[in-house]
Amino acid sequence: MLFRWSGATSNPEAGKHIGDSVTMIERVDQARPAVVYGLLAALLAAVFVPMSLFRLVDGDEGTYLLVARLVAEGQLPYHDFYYPQMYLLPYVYGGWMKVFGFSWYAARLLSAVFSILLGLLVYRQVANLARSRAWGVLAVVLFATSSLAFGWYPLVKTFVLPTLLLFAAYAVLSTRSRWRWIASGLLFGFAVACRVYVIGVAPAFLIEMYLSEPDRRARLMQFGRFTIGCVVALLPAEFFLLIDPATFVYNIVGTHLIRTDYQVFSWWDQKALAPMVLMALGESEGLTSLQFILLFLGSLAAWVSSTLARERLPLASSIAVLLILASFVPTPVYTQYFCMPLPFLLVSVVVFCATLVRENATPRLRHLLVSLAVVYVVVSPLDVVRYAISGRMIPGLPPGASATDWKLSTIRAVSRAIDRQASPGRKLAISLWPGYFVETQAAILPGMENHWALTYSQRVAPSEVQRYKLMSYPALFWHLREHTVDVVVLGNWTNWTSNGELIRRQVQQNGYTLKERVEHAEIYTLPRQAARQ
C-alpha cells in the first residue's frame, strides 16, 4: 500500500499488515533523497539496460544509427544524405559513439541512460505534486513496467530523447528559478529538434504561462524568455534551411506527404486503427492495450474531476492531450508513437489517485487502486518476451520476418561478414537495410543510407532523386551491371521491398555469387577477376 491508513480495524492480522505498510511508507518519505534516487536508478537500470541489449532491432534503427555515424564522420544531414527527421538525434548519438565507439550496444546504452533519467524525473514530479515520495516510487514502478516504455525507449529512435527533453521542459517550470521559462523554452526547442510535430504541444506551455504569471508585463517577459530559448535550440535548422531550402523542406515535410497512397476513406481508417488497437477495439497489441486502457481511463477520470471542480487542467494533462493529438499527424499512425505521452499520463493518473486516497481513504477504494496497480505491473513480463524473443505483433518488424534476423548478435555477425568479403581499396557495398554498416569498415553505397530510399524515389521526379540523395531502381541496377561494388547484402528489408525478388535476380544475373549466409541474410560477392576490372 502506498497510502496512510486512518481509523481502526477489528482484524489484528490486517492491522499488523497495515502498520507495516505505514512504516514502509514513512521510511521512504524520511529516507535521504540521494538514497531514494540511487535505488530508483538501480531499479530503472535493471529494466532498461537489459532491454537495450536484447530488444529486437526496429527497422528504422538501422537508418538512425548509420546517419549518426555519418554525422560523426563530418557529413551533413539532408545535403550529403537523405534524412526525413529533424537534426538533433544523429548529432547526440553520433557524438556519443565518437567517444565510446561505433557500436549498436554503445548507442542502445545511451537510450537506456535517457530512459533512466526520464524515470527519475517522473519520480520527482509525482513526489512533489502528491507531496509524498511513496507515490513517486509507485509512478517509477509503473513507468518501468510499462510496455510502451521498455518496448520503445531503449531503441535508437526519435522517442526517448524528445520525450526526455519535453518532460524536462515541463519539470523545470516547477522550480523557483527566475530563468525557468528560458530553460523550458530551450529544452522544448531541443525536443522539437528531434521530432518536429512536438511543436503542437506549444499551446500547453503558453496557456500555463498565461495562467501562472500575475500580469501582462510578467507574461510578456516570460514569453520572450521562452521564445529566446526555442530560437536558440532551433538555430541549426536555419543553417540547414539556408544551405538548400527545397532539400530541407522536402526531407522534413515533403517526405511525409508522399510516403503513403491512402485515399480519403482509407486515410481515416488508418488514422483510427492505432487508437482502436490501443483500446483493444477489434484487436490488441499484446499487453500494451491493457496497460494503455488503464492509463487512459485513469487520466480521463482525472480530467473530468478537474472540469467538475472547475479547476484548470494541470500542465502534465494538457501536454498529454496535445501530444496524443500530435501523434495522429504522421501518416501512417503507429501505436509506438503513443509512448511519448506515457510519462505525462502517468503523472496525471498517479497524482489523481494520491488526491483520491488523501480525500476519501475508504478501504474499498484503496483495495481497488492496489489491485489495478498490481495487474498493471504483473502483466508486463509477457510483453518483455514479445519484444525481446518472439517478435510477435511488433510494429517496425516486417510481417513474416524471422526474429533471429533482427537480433543484435545476428546483425553484428552480418557486419563482420561484410568486412571479410570487402576488397581492400573497394570498401563500398550495397544493402537494402543500412543497419549492417553501423560497425563495418566498409561503407554503404551513397543513396542507400535510408531503407525507404528506393520506395520514395518512385514518388518524385527523376531530377529530384539525385537532388534529394535518393536511390532509384535504374540507378541501383546500373551499379550492379557496372560492378561498382564488390559486396551485395540481401538480408533484412529485402522481403519488405516490393521488388525484392527482382533485385535478387539482378544481383545473380550480373555475376555476383552467394559467398556467405548468416541466418537468412545472403552476402554476394564478385569473383576476384571481375572485381579487379
Side-chain angles (χ1 to χ4, degrees):
M1 292 183 181
L2 295 176
F3 35 76
R4 294 185 180 275
W5 175 268
S6 59
T9 177
S10 58
N11 187 333
E13 291 299 322
K16 181 176 182 296
H17 175 70
I18 293 166
D20 292 342
S21 299
V22 172
T23 301
M24 184 182 301
I25 293 171
E26 289 176 345
R27 287 179 179 176
V28 172
D29 286 335
Q30 294 171 7
R32 292 183 178 181
V35 173
V36 177
Y37 276 107
L39 292 175
L40 291 178
L43 169 65
L44 292 164
V47 174
F48 289 104
V49 170
M51 286 301 293
S52 71
L53 300 178
F54 297 106
R55 204 283 200 189
L56 297 176
V57 173
D58 180 90
D60 293 343
E61 277 191 281
T63 290
Y64 286 123
L65 261 186
L66 180 63
V67 163
R69 175 171 181 169
L70 296 177
V71 163
E73 292 173 348
Q75 296 192 40
L76 287 177
Y78 319 121
H79 307 289
D80 291 328
F81 53 83
Y82 169 70
Y83 181 61
Q85 295 287 352
M86 289 291 275
Y87 56 86
L88 184 59
L89 184 136
Y91 282 97
V92 170
Y93 282 88
W96 172 269
M97 291 193 295
K98 189 81 170 178
V99 175
F100 296 99
F102 296 106
S103 162
W104 276 92
Y105 289 128
R108 282 283 193 90
L109 284 173
L110 179 58
S111 295
V113 170
F114 290 151
S115 304
I116 294 168
L117 293 175
L118 179 56
L120 294 178
L121 280 179
V122 169
Y123 161 77
R124 176 192 177 278
Q125 284 304 103
V126 172
N128 287 344
L129 293 172
R131 301 194 295 277
S132 171
R133 292 180 186 171
W135 287 104
V137 171
L138 173 62
V140 170
V141 171
L142 296 177
F143 174 81
T145 55
S146 294
S147 178
L148 282 172
F150 65 70
W152 295 103
Y153 288 162
L155 303 183
V156 182
K157 296 194 68 173
T158 53
F159 293 138
V160 67
L161 179 56
T163 305
L164 171 63
L165 292 167
L166 184 61
F167 198 91
Y170 150 69
V172 75
L173 294 179
S174 63
T175 68
R176 297 182 179 180
S177 171
R178 60 181 296 189
W179 304 108
R180 63 186 183 278
W181 278 107
I182 194 170
S184 179
L186 187 68
L187 291 164
F188 178 75
F190 284 140
V192 174
C194 292
R195 199 161 182 85
V196 70
Y197 70 64
V198 173
I199 194 70
V201 180
F205 288 90
L206 299 181
I207 293 172
E208 178 70 16
M209 184 187 303
Y210 179 83
L211 296 175
S212 62
E213 296 302 322
D215 52 45
R216 180 182 298 178
R217 182 175 179 275
R219 291 166 188 157
L220 289 174
M221 181 175 295
Q222 301 299 8
F223 176 76
R225 291 174 175 174
F226 184 81
T227 303
I228 289 172
C230 289
V231 169
V232 170
L234 294 171
L235 277 177
E238 300 174 23
F239 167 73
F240 291 122
L241 177 66
L242 290 174
I243 294 177
D244 186 347
T247 297
F248 180 76
V249 171
Y250 171 77
N251 278 259
I252 301 301
V253 179
T255 294
H256 304 282
L257 299 178
I258 65 170
R259 61 185 294 191
T260 60
D261 297 319
Y262 292 115
Q263 303 300 317
V264 175
F265 292 108
S266 59
W267 185 87
W268 281 109
D269 290 341
Q270 200 286 322
K271 292 291 184 183
L273 181 60
M276 290 179 67
V277 170
L278 286 173
M279 299 301 292
L281 299 175
E283 58 179 299
S284 63
E285 188 179 302
L287 277 306
T288 299
S289 298
L290 174 60
Q291 291 183 329
F292 188 83
I293 289 171
L294 293 176
L295 272 184
F296 181 78
L297 293 179
S299 300
L300 188 62
W303 302 337
V304 170
S305 176
S306 296
T307 302
L308 294 177
R310 296 185 178 181
E311 298 175 349
R312 66 186 176 96
L313 207 61
L315 180 56
S317 299
S318 301
I319 293 174
V321 171
L322 292 177
L323 202 48
I324 288 174
L325 294 176
S327 299
F328 287 96
V329 172
T331 301
V333 178
Y334 295 111
T335 54
Q336 57 189 286
Y337 297 164
F338 296 88
C339 71
M340 292 187 65
L342 174 68
F344 302 98
L345 292 173
L346 278 172
V347 171
S348 300
V349 171
V350 177
V351 173
F352 175 64
C353 290
T355 303
L356 283 181
V357 170
R358 186 168 58 248
E359 296 178 354
N360 186 22
T362 62
R364 182 173 298 178
L365 173 63
R366 292 194 296 270
H367 293 158
L368 174 62
L369 295 180
V370 169
S371 299
L372 292 175
V374 169
V375 169
Y376 190 99
V377 171
V378 298
V379 300
S380 60
L382 298 176
D383 263 358
V384 172
V385 173
R386 185 165 65 92
Y387 284 116
I389 299 174
S390 72
R392 291 180 61 251
M393 299 183 296
I394 298 181
L397 264 66
S402 168
T404 305
D405 290 332
W406 294 91
K407 289 183 177 181
L408 284 177
S409 56
T410 304
I411 291 167
R412 300 181 79 223
V414 174
S415 299
R416 292 191 294 270
I418 292 172
D419 279 340
R420 283 195 299 271
Q421 301 302 330
S423 303
R426 285 172 59 92
K427 289 293 187 179
L428 284 181
I430 289 175
S431 173
L432 301 183
W433 189 67
Y436 295 129
F437 294 86
V438 173
E439 299 183 5
T440 59
Q441 298 298 315
I444 196 168
L445 181 71
M448 301 294 289
E449 298 92 349
N450 189 288
H451 52 304
W452 290 104
L454 287 169
T455 299
Y456 294 156
S457 70
Q458 297 177 293
R459 298 175 180 175
V460 298
S463 60
E464 294 175 324
V465 172
Q466 184 174 2
R467 178 175 186 177
Y468 299 146
K469 305 299 186 291
L470 299 171
M471 175 63 70
S472 66
Y473 280 100
L476 176 63
F477 296 155
W478 180 87
H479 282 285
L480 294 175
R481 287 195 305 271
E482 297 299 320
H483 296 167
T484 60
V485 300
D486 292 350
V487 180
V488 178
V489 182
L490 298 181
N492 291 346
W493 215 255
T494 301
N495 293 332
W496 180 262
T497 303
S498 58
N499 295 308
E501 286 306 313
L502 172 61
I503 294 173
R504 180 178 276 105
R505 288 197 301 271
Q506 286 287 324
V507 169
Q508 295 168 347
Q509 291 171 6
N510 283 288
Y512 291 87
T513 58
L514 181 61
K515 189 72 172 181
E516 286 192 56
R517 188 188 298 271
V518 180
E519 296 298 337
H520 293 92
E522 303 168 350
I523 295 91
Y524 290 84
T525 63
L526 282 173
R528 294 287 182 184
Q529 184 175 2
R532 287 194 297 269
Q533 292 178 351

